[in-house]
């Protein structure tokens, strides 16, 4: 089911599957003053908020994201957020910190950081805007850093 609440401005997407899996995802569109609107409008929507959670027989997930600079007045989106998941007893988490993505190019971040932790192993990816990602892998107090160059296309 998809439901819009005109009192809060949140859209709620609810999903239930036959094998017991379920998920709720919420989204809200705000202007610069923080007023909510029923839909995305490129000329006035400055902020998009999204959050959700889900579960099934093997695990759970949750996330919370905020996308700012969403209007056509800006070239780059600014994304921040976090989340977690568990699958058959294995836990993970992620954080997105000040990630900028040009809306009119290929979707590769120009700057920012993404941190993913899975069962005690942490991967930190730092985007430098030159199609390069510096990745640091950390486990048991040991860190290894390498750089990945992304090719166009």
């Amino acid at each position: 089911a998809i439901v819009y609440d005109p009192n809060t401005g949140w859209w709620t997407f609810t999903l239930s599957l036959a094998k017991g899996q379920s998920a709720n995802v919420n989204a809200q569109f705000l202007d610069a003053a923080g007023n909510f609107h029923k839909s995305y409008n490129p000329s006035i929507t400055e902020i998009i908020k999204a959050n959700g959670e889900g579960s099934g027989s093997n695990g759970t997930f949750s996330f919370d994201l905020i996308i700012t600079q969403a209007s056509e007045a800006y070239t780059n989106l600014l994304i921040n957020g976090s989340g977690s998941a568990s699958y058959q007893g294995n836990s993970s988490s992620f954080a997105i910190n000040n990630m900028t993505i040009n809306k009119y190019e290929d979707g590769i971040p120009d700057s920012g950081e993404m941190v993913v932790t899975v069962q005690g192993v942490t991967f930190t990816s730092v985007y430098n805007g030159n199609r390069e990602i510096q990745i640091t892998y950390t486990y048991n107090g040991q860190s290894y850093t390498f750089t990945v160059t992304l090719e166009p296309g």
Side-chain angles (χ1 to χ4, degrees):
I2 301 172
V3 177
Y4 178 72
D5 183 341
N7 296 314
T8 65
W10 284 97
W11 282 96
T12 300
F13 306 85
T14 303
L15 174 68
S16 296
L17 300 177
K19 292 190 177 187
Q21 300 95 334
S22 63
N24 290 312
V25 176
N26 307 296
Q28 187 182 51
F29 305 100
L30 304 158
D31 62 24
N35 301 307
F36 55 82
H37 299 272
K38 190 172 183 178
S39 61
Y40 175 77
N41 180 327
S43 63
I44 63 170
T45 301
E46 293 291 328
I47 301 166
I48 301 169
K49 293 182 178 182
N51 62 57
E53 58 189 26
S55 64
S57 60
N58 289 319
T60 63
F61 74 89
S62 65
F63 71 93
D64 191 4
L65 295 173
I66 297 177
I67 301 170
T68 56
Q69 301 179 180
S71 78
E72 61 193 2
Y74 297 93
T75 301
N76 293 316
L77 296 171
L78 177 62
I79 303 169
N80 285 282
S82 61
S84 62
S86 67
Y87 180 74
Q88 296 183 342
N90 298 305
S91 62
S92 63
S93 64
F94 77 90
I96 300 171
N97 304 309
N98 297 317
M99 183 173 289
T100 60
I101 298 176
N102 186 307
K103 293 185 259 185
Y104 307 106
E105 291 183 1
D106 54 21
I108 295 172
D110 292 320
S111 66
E113 173 185 77
M114 184 181 307
V115 180
V116 177
T117 301
V118 179
Q119 291 299 101
V121 178
T122 300
F123 296 89
T124 303
S125 302
V126 178
Y127 299 85
N128 70 6
N130 294 324
R131 304 186 74 79
E132 291 181 343
I133 307 168
Q134 182 180 22
I135 301 172
T136 302
Y137 162 94
T138 305
Y139 179 69
N140 279 343
Q142 298 290 316
S143 294
Y144 306 93
T145 300
F146 55 95
T147 301
V148 174
T149 301
L150 302 172
E151 297 296 326

